[in-house]
Amino acid sequence: MAMTTRMRSTDTALTTAEAAFALLTCEPAPLVFDARPVPGLPDATMPLGELRTLLVCERYDSDTTDVLWRHLAHHAREKGPAWVVGAIGVALPALTRLAAKISRGHARHADDVDSEVLAGFLQALRRADLTPPRLWLRLCWAAWRAGVAVITADDGEELPLNLSTGSRSPRMPYGHPDLLLGRAAAAGLITSEAAELISATRFGDRLVEQLAAEHGVTASVLRMRRRRAERIVAAAVSRGDLSCATRRGGREAA
């Protein structure tokens, strides 16, 4: 299946992964996934390329994606390198979109962002707890954080051209919302679930109504939780509490 990629003068981690996936899924012996244990997917075995096409063209609920990615993660951990490449290949359309979004306005770092997005996803694929729900969202969240860190690190390394010789307050790195959410969760100000809720509905493409249906609560309850967490993060920004990744005790959003 052809996937949308950004223009590149050289190969990047994501385009290299795509080439490896293409070799793995070509005839006459493509790598095959048994979709029969996954509720909501066709009751059949299918080449991984077909599985990826299905996931791109159809929207599945969290129960289906959770079971699917538990199987793919188990295969990647237990069945060797081919299944690592296969799982990454299935995720590549989403990872490419994430990397493109992070790199927007930072073209010279696009290759590094690609590498870190892939590395962050791969680390989560190998190490994430597969038992809790929303596994796919947690894998993507790990990839996003890793990619954003490239831009954030660069922002802190370069001196501005108009650097004054006098004393001035340091610029707080508040340009990346997901960085703030990650710091707020790490500091215990909000829960990781609240951070994911804000990220998925404010900066991702998920609707509050969709998540509410998946978790068996009303949309108004989720909006209230999101609003409460956002107020905590906003207050922390105003106080300067999120200018570094220091862990501190704090309130948690329900």
Side-chain angles (χ1 to χ4, degrees), residues 31-244:
L31 192 63
V32 172
F33 177 75
D34 185 358
R36 289 174 295 183
V38 182
L41 292 186
D43 187 22
T45 60
M46 63 180 69
L48 281 185
E50 291 184 16
L51 174 64
R52 186 171 79 173
T53 300
L54 192 65
L55 296 177
V56 169
C57 296
E58 303 287 342
R59 183 176 289 275
Y60 293 96
D61 61 27
S62 62
D63 289 338
T64 297
T65 54
D66 272 358
V67 175
L68 169 63
W69 279 99
R70 285 191 189 107
H71 279 278
L72 288 174
H74 277 302
H75 289 352
R77 295 176 185 187
E78 298 171 2
K79 294 189 176 183
W83 277 99
V84 175
V85 174
I88 289 172
V90 173
L92 274 174
L95 297 182
T96 301
R97 288 194 298 271
L98 285 178
K101 188 173 182 179
I102 295 168
S103 299
R104 194 170 299 137
H106 303 274
R108 67 192 181 93
H109 296 301
D111 290 359
D112 290 336
V113 169
D114 277 15
S115 295
E116 292 305 313
V117 163
L118 182 58
F121 181 85
L122 180 57
Q123 182 178 33
L125 183 69
R126 287 172 169 165
R127 300 182 181 179
D129 186 348
L130 304 182
T131 304
R134 293 174 294 171
L135 175 59
W136 170 240
L137 181 60
R138 289 186 285 119
L139 294 175
C140 289
W141 178 253
W144 175 268
R145 285 198 308 265
V148 166
V150 173
I151 307 301
T152 306
D154 181 73
D155 287 346
E157 289 170 359
E158 293 189 355
L159 293 176
L161 295 177
N162 60 345
L163 181 64
S164 169
T165 57
S167 175
R168 67 188 184 105
S169 298
R171 178 177 64 85
M172 291 184 286
Y174 292 158
H176 304 286
D178 278 294
L179 175 63
L180 290 179
L181 294 174
R183 286 178 173 171
L189 298 173
I190 62 175
T191 63
S192 59
E193 289 79 9
E196 290 174 1
L197 170 63
I198 296 171
S199 178
T201 58
R202 293 297 195 192
F203 313 117
D205 59 359
R206 303 301 304 277
L207 299 176
V208 169
E209 288 76 10
Q210 289 175 320
L211 292 178
E214 291 172 8
H215 296 294
V217 298
T218 64
S220 60
V221 166
L222 275 194
R223 288 194 178 93
M224 179 182 66
R225 293 177 181 176
R226 184 179 65 182
R227 188 180 309 116
R228 187 183 308 163
E230 287 174 340
R231 287 173 178 170
I232 291 172
V233 173
V237 169
S238 298
R239 295 192 303 268
D241 290 350
L242 301 181
S243 60
C244 65

